[in-house]
Coordinates of all heavy atoms in Angstrom, one line a residue:
L340 N -32.7 -62.6 23.2 CA -32.1 -61.4 22.6 C -31.2 -61.8 21.4 O -30.4 -62.7 21.5 CB -31.2 -60.6 23.6 CG -30.4 -59.5 23.0 CD1 -31.3 -58.4 22.5 CD2 -29.4 -58.9 24.1
I341 N -31.5 -61.2 20.2 CA -30.7 -61.5 19.0 C -30.0 -60.2 18.6 O -30.6 -59.1 18.5 CB -31.6 -61.9 17.8 CG1 -32.4 -63.2 18.1 CG2 -30.8 -62.1 16.6 CD1 -33.4 -63.6 17.1
R342 N -28.7 -60.3 18.5 CA -27.9 -59.2 18.1 C -26.7 -59.7 17.2 O -26.7 -60.9 16.9 CB -27.3 -58.5 19.3 CG -26.4 -59.3 20.2 CD -25.9 -58.4 21.4 NE -24.9 -59.2 22.2 CZ -23.6 -59.2 21.9 NH1 -23.1 -58.5 20.8 NH2 -22.7 -59.8 22.7
A343 N -25.8 -58.8 16.9 CA -24.7 -59.2 16.0 C -23.4 -58.4 16.3 O -23.5 -57.3 17.0 CB -25.1 -58.9 14.5
E344 N -22.3 -59.0 15.9 CA -21.0 -58.3 16.0 C -20.6 -57.8 14.7 O -21.2 -58.3 13.6 CB -20.0 -59.3 16.6 CG -20.2 -59.9 17.9 CD -20.0 -58.9 19.1 OE1 -19.5 -57.8 18.8 OE2 -20.3 -59.2 20.2
G345 N -19.7 -56.9 14.6 CA -19.2 -56.5 13.3 C -19.7 -55.2 12.8 O -20.3 -54.4 13.6
R346 N -19.6 -54.9 11.5 CA -19.9 -53.6 10.9 C -21.4 -53.3 10.9 O -21.7 -52.1 10.9 CB -19.3 -53.6 9.5 CG -17.8 -53.6 9.4 CD -17.3 -54.0 8.1 NE -18.0 -53.3 7.0 CZ -17.8 -53.6 5.7 NH1 -17.1 -54.6 5.4 NH2 -18.5 -52.9 4.8
G347 N -22.2 -54.3 10.9 CA -23.7 -54.1 10.9 C -24.4 -55.3 11.3 O -23.8 -56.4 11.5
F348 N -25.7 -55.2 11.6 CA -26.5 -56.3 12.1 C -26.5 -57.5 11.1 O -26.2 -58.6 11.5 CB -27.9 -55.8 12.5 CG -28.8 -56.9 12.9 CD1 -28.6 -57.5 14.1 CD2 -29.9 -57.3 12.1 CE1 -29.4 -58.6 14.5 CE2 -30.7 -58.3 12.5 CZ -30.5 -58.9 13.7
C349 N -27.0 -57.2 9.9 CA -27.2 -58.3 8.9 C -27.2 -57.7 7.5 O -28.0 -56.8 7.2 CB -28.4 -59.1 9.2 SG -28.7 -60.5 8.1
G350 N -26.4 -58.3 6.7 CA -26.3 -57.9 5.3 C -27.3 -58.7 4.4 O -27.2 -58.7 3.2
G351 N -28.2 -59.5 5.1 CA -29.2 -60.2 4.3 C -28.6 -61.6 3.9 O -27.9 -62.3 4.7
V352 N -28.9 -62.0 2.6 CA -28.4 -63.2 2.1 C -27.0 -63.0 1.4 O -26.6 -61.9 1.1 CB -29.4 -63.9 1.1 CG1 -30.7 -64.0 1.7 CG2 -29.5 -63.0 -0.2

Side-chain angles (χ1 to χ4, degrees):
L340 173 62
I341 300 177
R342 63 177 186 87
E344 300 286 354
R346 291 160 48 189
F348 175 69
C349 182
V352 305

